[in-house]
Every structure is written in C-alpha cells, then in structure tokens.
Amino acid sequence: MRVSVDLDVCQGHGVCHMSAPEVFELDADDGHAIVQLDPVPASMEADARTAVSACPERAITLSD
Ligand code: SF4
C-alpha cells in the first residue's frame, strides 16, 4: 500500500500522527504531515486507514 499527503490541503492538525505515528511524522515548523513509511508495511495498514478516516481535511490518499 502506498500513502501520500496533499500538502496543499493538510492543515497540520496532527491527527494522522496520533493514529499512525510510525507512518506520519509532523513537520516541526508548520505541523504538516511528513510520510515516514511509503509503502506502508502490512502491519501498519490498519493504522494508516484509521488516519485517512480521521484526517479532518481528507488530505491523505492510500493506493495499492
Ligand atoms: S490529520 Fe490531515 S490535515 Fe492533519 S496533519 Fe495529518 S494529513 Fe495534515
């Protein structure tokens, strides 16, 4: 599974990091999401899906 964040949409809420901390880090300056693991390991796919659902801006995209 591949993951990406649309930084034009991301508002730095940080919910993705709380949902999947191994997959998403947050930029120290503006709080925007930084993908750490792409492709996402199988063991973390469920957390990544949770992050997609939780993102208030719908900024995260998953693809196979
Ligand atoms: S939850 Fe969404 S808007 Fe917030 S930092 Fe993560 S990707 Fe960006």
Side-chain angles (χ1 to χ4, degrees):
M1 174 188 287
R2 304 296 305 268
V3 60
S4 63
V5 173
D6 184 343
L7 293 177
D8 290 332
V9 177
C10 174
Q11 294 296 318
H13 301 291
V15 181
C16 54
H17 177 65
M18 288 187 275
S19 301
E22 297 90 350
V23 179
F24 302 98
E25 190 52 77
L26 300 178
D27 187 292
D29 292 328
D30 59 17
H32 288 179
I34 302 169
V35 174
Q36 298 291 296
L37 292 173
D38 179 45
V40 178
S43 62
M44 297 176 189
E45 287 186 2
D47 287 350
R49 292 185 194 283
T50 299
V52 169
S53 299
C55 174
E57 307 298 334
R58 296 288 184 257
I60 306 169
T61 300
L62 298 177
S63 60
D64 292 325

